[in-house]
Structure formats: structure tokens, C-alpha cells
Amino acid sequence: MSAPRLLVLFDIDGTLLETQEAGVLACVEAGREVFGTEFSFVDIPLQGKLDHENYAEAVARHCPGVDPREHEADFRRAYGEGLRRIADERGGFPPCPGITLLLDGLHGDDRFEVGLLTGNWEDTGRLKIRRAGLDDALFRCNAFADDGDHRDDLVPVARMRFQSRHGGEPRGIVVIGDTPRDIRCALAGDAVPLGVATGIFPVDRLEAEGAALAVPTLERTDEIIGWLGSVDSL
């Protein structure tokens, strides 16, 4: 079988699945447990940033003078426990519209390799995917928050993992995401951005940021796969 020629990278929150603020609630609980204070994320724009960036901002706001690196392992443990509990209470997290059929279509087409490009830490990102009823093992060329300082660092990581797996570079990379930062990181990494308005940002905002295509949802499976198949000729 020939190597796939296109790498399709998915964001998690607001693109693959909807956690309905579960991550924020778990962070608040973790802040209380580890630092003894209520973390507030009011006026901290969380969307599209890496988990460790949001964590460091919360520590700087609520615990001035504390080095967040000294407590990150404990915070991540408490955050993961809180996220599992919330997922259990809710019976999991719903996939975003069209995701299941789109992933099935991509995995059945040998032109494509599928991966993740996400601001989530790897352990809790995979937890969210599994609790949405999706198979995290199907995403094989990934870049998580653990892999960079900022989101713009992540496309090169996913490209390198594709090279390691397949022995050469992909002919094209698409980043699918629901935030302006998804669009900007794709452009910074010489990838093609596909915006989807299943988060809080509308189609016109994603287009204004430079999305090559912006859609309300990923439900039009055949049309989206057809467009993805043309990316290396764009």
C-alpha cells in the first residue's frame, strides 16, 4: 500500500467534540485542590491556546510569585481526575455534528493520514476523545500541548511525525479547527486551514482569519472529503 499523501489534523474541543466547559470546571477544581484558591478564567481567552499557557496565566493571576512549573504535575493529576469525574457524571462528551461519519470516510480512504493538533495535554486530550466514543488510536500523527510552547509550534511536530511514520513529507497538510488560533497556526506552519463554526466563532470570522474553507459544521462528508482531496493542488 502506498503512503498517504495528505495529513489531516483535527483540533479537539469545539471541533471533534463538545465538552460544555468541562475543562474549565476541572481546572477550577484542580486549582482549589493544589493551590487552595478558586481559579477564575474570566477575561482569560482560553480558546486555541495550549493547556500549559492557560494554567500558567491562572497561577500568575491567583498565586503571584509562585512558579507554576513546581506544581504542574500535581495540577495535571487533579485536572485529569476532575475531568474523568465530570465525564462520568455526564455520560461522556458529545461528538460535534458530522465528526463520526467524516472520520470513518477519511480512515477508509488511503489518500489521508489523520492526526490531532490540539492545545490539550496528551493524557487529558485522549481522555476527552475516548469519552466522546471516538477511538484515539486512529489519530497517528499528532501534536499536543506537551510538544510546544505555543500553538504555532505544533504543525512542524505533526509533519515530523508523519515523516517518521511514512518516510517522507506529506504533499499537503490541513488543520481543521474552530478558532482563529487554529487558522493562524495552520498558516504559520505552511498548512491549509479549514475552519468549522461548531465552537464560538462564526464562519465569517474564520474566513476573515484566512481559512481556505469555512463551514458551519462538518456534516457534508462527501463534499468535505472531496475538498480535502484537492488540497495538494490548491
Side-chain angles (χ1 to χ4, degrees):
M1 181 182 295
S2 61
R5 57 187 175 87
L6 296 167
L7 175 58
V8 182
L9 299 169
F10 286 86
D11 173 51
I12 294 180
D13 299 88
T15 300
L16 284 179
L17 54 92
E18 177 54 66
T19 59
Q20 299 165 333
E21 300 295 315
V24 173
L25 294 173
C27 281
V28 170
E29 292 182 7
R32 186 185 306 120
E33 177 179 333
V34 175
F35 295 98
T37 188
E38 289 281 340
F39 277 9
S40 169
F41 292 92
V42 175
D43 298 326
I44 296 179
L46 304 176
Q47 292 82 12
K49 290 195 300 187
L50 306 187
D51 276 353
H52 57 71
E53 291 181 291
N54 291 326
Y55 160 69
E57 285 191 42
V59 173
R61 169 184 283 192
H62 297 287
C63 309
V66 173
D67 184 347
R69 293 170 295 183
E70 294 180 1
H71 303 279
E72 184 171 317
D74 288 337
F75 183 87
R76 288 182 64 166
R77 174 194 52 76
Y79 169 65
E81 290 172 356
L83 197 61
R84 288 184 188 89
R85 181 187 57 75
I86 293 168
D88 288 343
E89 290 174 352
R90 295 182 181 179
F93 303 125
C96 287
I99 279 296
T100 302
L101 287 177
L102 179 57
L103 290 175
D104 287 346
L106 292 173
H107 286 299
D109 190 323
D110 61 10
R111 294 175 295 172
F112 303 110
E113 178 69 277
V114 178
L116 300 166
L117 190 150
T118 175
N120 283 269
W121 285 311
E122 181 169 2
D123 52 348
T124 40
R126 289 187 181 278
L127 169 66
K128 290 177 182 179
I129 290 171
R130 292 192 295 267
R131 294 303 178 92
L134 305 173
D135 184 357
D136 65 306
L138 298 177
F139 301 92
R140 295 180 292 195
C141 297
N142 307 313
F144 293 92
D146 314 70
D147 296 314
D149 294 327
H150 305 286
R151 200 176 192 96
D152 287 358
D153 298 333
L154 299 187
V155 171
V157 173
R159 179 182 285 111
M160 177 188 67
R161 288 179 174 152
F162 183 99
Q163 287 178 288
S164 297
R165 183 175 181 85
H166 297 292
E169 286 206 10
R171 288 171 59 181
I173 299 177
V174 177
V175 174
I176 303 179
D178 64 292
T179 75
R181 284 191 174 91
D182 294 303
I183 307 304
R184 293 197 290 266
C185 90
L187 296 172
D190 196 26
V192 177
L194 192 168
V196 57
T198 42
I200 66 171
F201 296 97
V203 165
D204 58 355
R205 173 66 188 280
L206 300 173
E207 289 174 335
E209 291 290 341
L213 175 68
V215 294
T217 73
L218 296 173
E219 291 176 283
R220 294 189 172 183
T221 305
D222 292 342
E223 292 179 23
I224 291 169
I225 290 178
W227 182 85
L228 290 170
S230 72
V231 160
D232 60 342
S233 63
L234 292 180

